[in-house]
Amino acid sequence: MSNDIPAVSVLKFLANAGSILKNPLPFHHDNFEIKGDTFKLQLGFGNEVVFSRDPGFAKYALQKNQRNYTKSPIQTKDLAKYVGEGLLTSEGSLWKKQRKLIQPAFHKKQLAQLIEAMHTVIKEELQSIKTGEAFDVFEIFNDLAFNTVAKSLFQTEVDRKKINRLQYITEQAQKMLVKELRQPYKSWYFKYAGPIDKHLALTQEARDILMELVEERRASQQKVGDLLDMLLESTYEDGTGMDDEQLIDEILILFTAGHETTSNALTFAASLLARHPEWQDKIYKEYAFAKANSTSLNEFLRQCTVTKQVLEETMRLYPPAYFIDRVNIEEDEYNGMKIPAGSNLLFSCIEIHKHDDFWEDPLQFNPTRFDDNAGMYHDAYFPFGAGPRMCIGNNFAMYEMILAVTEMVSRFKITPINTPIEILPLITLKPKNAILEFATR
């Protein structure tokens, strides 16, 4: 790799290996502060990774010259073996074909059909919040997010045991993938002692459950307007629909990508609101006004601008997808930096979102920064990625989170038990020890 990019030595990497395994973000931050907004980390044996918190570079790779940048094997191979080749993990012509097919199902007009079902699930899940006792809220939001995706996919009655089993398998596969990525020195053990095979068998069980649900829907000849209907009715340009294997791949991706990032963001939002009660009050007032002045959930959502700002600020401080990975196909150059073909690039969204060159008081929780000035931050804000591969479910996620936060704040006042907010950077940025206490409002 070119000498144009400042390097962090393999010795420094090895000296910090223990702390990097637990949480690599402080190590990366120190390197950014010393080396600048782009540096390369030498991992030994000729392996290097380029880290960047330059939003212009990120935009260049994700948008302006995106044809030359592909997703890394972490997603296209490691994750794909558990969830298949769907929108998140596919590349090239398959991705283009699937994106064109599925995009219409996630247009705001189509999502309007799902909002009532979303709202019903959210209200049911929030009933499990207990008042007057401290507990980790992540599990509440994890179940809420998974069941919201499940209900949006299958609005007809589905055996609760099947949904619970799907959730278990999805989460177990993700935990196994984290182990593989964080402990590459155990790859021989994972491969030959059986853990990977065990989790691949679990994944096949999930595929079998989903295929049963699909076949039940086809046999019923019902049309209920859920995501499954939309996927079954979608056709390619030649008039054919997805084959069953591809359909199951896409459903698995929706479960995987559609619940973990949302549950993370909701947990961080609740944690921030607990520490900033004045914003709870603002959301409550907005909720009361919007509810009194709306004749539909669509109207209600449009009026929840304060809640939207709180969520945008939450994802600035704690972006669930805190890194975006790419590999360039051909040699490239950006701002004088030569990037040899096949370079591994990691764009740090969390560093870009907290960079004081682009944000005023970047470590402060200040949702008003997204009021009328959101445009000024647009180029340094990547909560859902950027370019053609921007998350297809961004509107779905925002609707779900606005409904969840307004419903939560309308019922409860939230206080924190521990401070500061703790994080666990895995495949996504997960909350850790999110211990809060709720009181009836």
Side-chain angles (χ1 to χ4, degrees), residues 3 53 139 151 172 221 235 248 255 265 305 323 359 365 406 413 421 434:
N3 291 329
R53 63 176 184 183
E139 288 306 321
K151 191 66 175 176
Q172 289 304 306
Q221 297 187 322
T235 55
I248 300 305
F255 273 123
T305 54
F323 271 104
W359 303 87
F365 176 70
T406 52
K413 291 184 177 181
I421 293 174

Side-chain angles (χ1 to χ4, degrees), residues 317-340:
L317 288 166
Y318 302 102
Y322 64 108
F323 271 104
I324 299 175
D325 61 324
R326 288 293 184 268
V327 177
N328 57 312
I329 300 164
E330 296 177 358
E331 182 179 273
D332 206 350
E333 185 175 317
Y334 175 78
N335 271 8
M337 294 185 297
K338 287 188 172 59
I339 312 157

Side-chain angles (χ1 to χ4, degrees), residues 321-393:
Y322 64 108
F323 271 104
I324 299 175
D325 61 324
R326 288 293 184 268
V327 177
N328 57 312
I329 300 164
E330 296 177 358
E331 182 179 273
D332 206 350
E333 185 175 317
Y334 175 78
N335 271 8
M337 294 185 297
K338 287 188 172 59
I339 312 157
S343 297
N344 290 302
L345 308 172
L346 283 175
F347 297 101
S348 176
C349 299
I350 195 165
E351 285 282 339
I352 293 171
H353 288 184
K354 295 182 181 181
H355 200 312
D356 56 15
D357 281 2
F358 312 109
W359 303 87
E360 187 178 340
D361 297 323
L363 301 182
Q364 299 301 312
F365 176 70
N366 178 20
T368 58
R369 72 175 84 241
F370 287 101
D371 191 354
D372 296 324
N373 298 317
M376 69 183 283
Y377 298 121
H378 181 70
D379 288 335
Y381 188 55
F382 300 90
F384 296 105
R389 297 210 64 145
M390 184 173 177
C391 175
I392 198 171

Side-chain angles (χ1 to χ4, degrees), residues 26-41:
F27 177 73
H28 298 325
H29 179 74
D30 290 344
N31 289 324
F32 280 125
E33 292 296 294
I34 295 166
K35 300 291 185 179
D37 289 346
T38 302
F39 67 87
K40 59 183 177 184
L41 178 61

Side-chain angles (χ1 to χ4, degrees), residues 126-127 129-133 280 284 407-415 437-441:
L126 290 178
Q127 287 175 8
I129 289 178
K130 294 174 183 173
T131 57
E133 60 180 74
Q280 293 184 53
Y284 181 73
E407 200 63 43
M408 174 180 67
V409 171
S410 75
R411 301 180 188 199
F412 306 106
K413 291 184 177 181
I414 320 165
T415 52
E437 187 171 317
F438 291 74
T440 303
R441 183 175 284 279

Side-chain angles (χ1 to χ4, degrees), residues 90-272:
S90 60
E91 277 292 349
S93 59
L94 175 60
W95 171 79
K96 287 179 186 173
K97 184 180 174 185
Q98 290 306 109
R99 180 84 181 202
K100 190 172 183 180
L101 180 76
I102 296 169
Q103 181 88 49
F106 286 90
H107 287 163
K108 288 183 178 181
K109 188 176 178 182
Q110 290 281 25
L111 292 179
Q113 300 178 50
L114 306 176
I115 293 172
E116 288 289 350
M118 272 189 198
H119 198 210
T120 299
V121 172
I122 287 164
K123 288 189 288 187
E124 287 173 359
E125 292 296 327
L126 290 178
Q127 287 175 8
S128 59
I129 289 178
K130 294 174 183 173
T131 57
E133 60 180 74
F135 66 99
D136 191 330
V137 297
F138 176 73
E139 288 306 321
I140 295 279
F141 291 120
N142 195 44
D143 290 348
L144 181 153
F146 192 89
N147 288 321
T148 301
V149 174
K151 191 66 175 176
S152 298
L153 271 160
F154 309 109
Q155 285 194 19
T156 48
E157 202 60 40
V158 175
D159 184 348
R160 188 72 240 166
K161 287 181 182 176
K162 288 183 179 178
I163 295 299
N164 290 343
R165 188 64 179 164
L166 284 171
Q167 182 173 357
Y168 172 78
I169 293 170
T170 302
E171 290 168 3
Q172 289 304 306
Q174 288 175 20
K175 287 175 183 175
M176 185 63 223
L177 180 56
V178 168
K179 288 180 183 177
E180 290 179 68
L181 297 177
R182 286 288 173 92
Q183 299 173 296
Y185 47 85
K186 283 190 174 181
S187 59
W188 62 272
Y189 168 78
F190 294 144
K191 185 174 181 181
Y192 296 110
I196 289 178
D197 287 342
K198 173 189 168 187
H199 286 82
L200 290 176
L202 280 175
T203 298
Q204 186 56 52
E205 182 188 341
R207 298 182 73 87
D208 293 342
I209 292 170
L210 291 171
M211 199 63 242
E212 284 175 28
L213 296 174
V214 169
E215 286 169 352
E216 285 171 13
R217 175 64 59 84
R218 283 175 174 151
S220 73
Q221 297 187 322
Q222 282 183 286
K223 294 283 187 289
V224 295
D226 56 14
L227 280 176
L228 179 58
D229 272 357
M230 295 179 200
L231 293 173
L232 287 170
E233 291 167 8
S234 299
T235 55
Y236 300 113
E237 289 177 349
D238 64 1
T240 62
M242 273 186 277
D243 63 43
D244 286 347
E245 285 298 306
Q246 190 66 51
L247 177 64
I248 300 305
D249 284 355
E250 298 300 350
I251 293 173
L252 271 176
I253 290 290
L254 289 173
F255 273 123
T256 302
H259 100 274
E260 184 172 343
T261 51
T262 304
S263 58
N264 293 350
L266 284 172
T267 303
F268 284 125
S271 299
L272 285 163

Side-chain angles (χ1 to χ4, degrees), residues 46-57:
N47 292 327
E48 295 178 342
V49 179
V50 174
F51 289 82
S52 184
R53 63 176 184 183
D54 179 344
F57 189 11

